[in-house]
Amino acid sequence: MRDEISMRPIATVESCFGEKFGTPRQSGIVPSARGRIVFSPEVDRGACRGLEEFSHVWLVFIFDQVGESEVRWFVRPPRLGGNEKKGVFATRSPFRPNRIGLSLVKLEKVGEGFLEVSGLDLVEGTPVLDVKPYIPFVEAIPDARGGFAEKPPEQLEVEFPSALLEELEESEVQLIRETLAVDPRPAYHDDPERVYGCELSGRNVRWQVVDGCVKILS
């Protein structure tokens, strides 16, 4: 077995998520989350020829905001309330031996040196190692089992102040609503007085959760 395998990023992500907190834990659960996959100059522009025939693509990426030494063989998945340990290979945790992630996104446009995608779950600047087309007849398995993540996360109600609704564009409201409805808080947080903040589409959104409802403050 070879001790080392060398890989280099072929693209970086331009994302509506400016920081790790608030970025969805899975792709597709925030459909309005858009971004670009911008290829490095050395990538031949013909490398995406034919990709426009597909509706979705896999992104193979690096969890670059996790240190190489931060390996955890056991983690506490948020879906289990942070109360139960699972082996890292039974989870999507970023604290992996090689920090490699896999994300399935909708392909909106094949541009000159970039891809526009939606359903994104990657933070700004994420390095991308590879792009592969999603092939439904082999990768959509109707009777597959989802373990402890069998069902999609429950949705929280999101309330905006009327003045803020008038200030924001419709696309911004949709992104904020969809992102916070899936509750990005750590599983052990349940303090109605605590105010959270995250960067969405360049805006610093401040909010809190009271009685199961996300209340946007500013």
Side-chain angles (χ1 to χ4, degrees), residues 144-196:
R145 291 184 291 122
F148 61 84
E150 191 73 50
K151 298 179 180 179
E154 294 184 5
Q155 301 276 311
L156 300 180
E157 184 182 355
V158 180
E159 291 184 357
F160 289 80
S162 56
L164 193 57
L165 284 174
E166 295 177 1
E167 175 187 339
L168 295 171
E169 295 182 6
E170 185 176 343
S171 60
E172 293 177 309
V173 172
Q174 184 178 6
L175 175 64
I176 294 170
R177 189 184 302 279
E178 291 180 356
T179 300
L180 300 186
V182 293
D183 198 356
R185 297 177 301 166
Y188 52 85
H189 282 199
D190 191 21
D191 181 0
E193 301 298 322
R194 182 162 183 165
V195 175
Y196 298 88

Side-chain angles (χ1 to χ4, degrees), residues 109-143:
K109 179 181 179 180
V110 179
E112 185 67 26
F114 67 89
L115 305 176
E116 287 189 3
V117 300
S118 63
L120 194 63
D121 63 341
L122 303 180
V123 72
E124 175 76 17
T126 296
V128 176
L129 296 174
D130 205 354
V131 176
K132 300 177 183 289
Y134 172 78
I135 302 176
F137 86 90
V138 291
E139 296 175 316
I141 304 174
D143 57 349

Side-chain angles (χ1 to χ4, degrees), residues 11-214:
T12 55
V13 176
E14 292 181 353
S15 175
C16 56
F17 302 111
E19 57 187 353
K20 185 166 62 174
F21 181 64
T23 301
R25 297 185 177 106
Q26 305 290 344
S27 59
I29 63 174
V30 180
S32 63
R34 298 180 70 105
R36 282 188 173 194
I37 313 305
V38 181
F39 291 102
S40 304
E42 62 267 22
V43 175
D44 192 294
R45 292 300 178 259
C48 290
R49 184 183 300 162
L51 194 60
E52 69 279 355
E53 300 173 21
F54 296 87
S55 65
H56 293 73
V57 294
W58 292 106
L59 304 177
V60 183
F61 65 92
I62 293 289
F63 289 108
D64 65 316
Q65 296 195 13
V66 175
E68 291 188 29
S69 61
E70 295 184 73
V71 180
R72 299 177 187 173
W73 299 111
F74 295 93
V75 297
R76 299 178 184 271
R79 289 295 296 274
L80 297 176
N83 299 316
E84 184 178 343
K85 286 186 177 181
K86 295 288 185 181
V88 67
F89 296 140
T91 76
R92 300 289 185 92
S93 169
F95 300 100
R96 320 186 72 78
N98 287 301
R99 301 186 299 157
I100 295 175
L102 188 64
S103 183
L104 179 62
V105 295
K106 184 178 180 182
L107 182 60
E108 300 287 352
K109 179 181 179 180
V110 179
E112 185 67 26
F114 67 89
L115 305 176
E116 287 189 3
V117 300
S118 63
L120 194 63
D121 63 341
L122 303 180
V123 72
E124 175 76 17
T126 296
V128 176
L129 296 174
D130 205 354
V131 176
K132 300 177 183 289
Y134 172 78
I135 302 176
F137 86 90
V138 291
E139 296 175 316
I141 304 174
D143 57 349
R145 291 184 291 122
F148 61 84
E150 191 73 50
K151 298 179 180 179
E154 294 184 5
Q155 301 276 311
L156 300 180
E157 184 182 355
V158 180
E159 291 184 357
F160 289 80
S162 56
L164 193 57
L165 284 174
E166 295 177 1
E167 175 187 339
L168 295 171
E169 295 182 6
E170 185 176 343
S171 60
E172 293 177 309
V173 172
Q174 184 178 6
L175 175 64
I176 294 170
R177 189 184 302 279
E178 291 180 356
T179 300
L180 300 186
V182 293
D183 198 356
R185 297 177 301 166
Y188 52 85
H189 282 199
D190 191 21
D191 181 0
E193 301 298 322
R194 182 162 183 165
V195 175
Y196 298 88
C198 55
E199 185 179 336
L200 301 175
S201 285
R203 292 184 179 270
N204 183 18
V205 182
R206 295 176 61 79
W207 49 281
Q208 60 186 168
V209 180
V210 180
D211 295 329
C213 177
V214 178

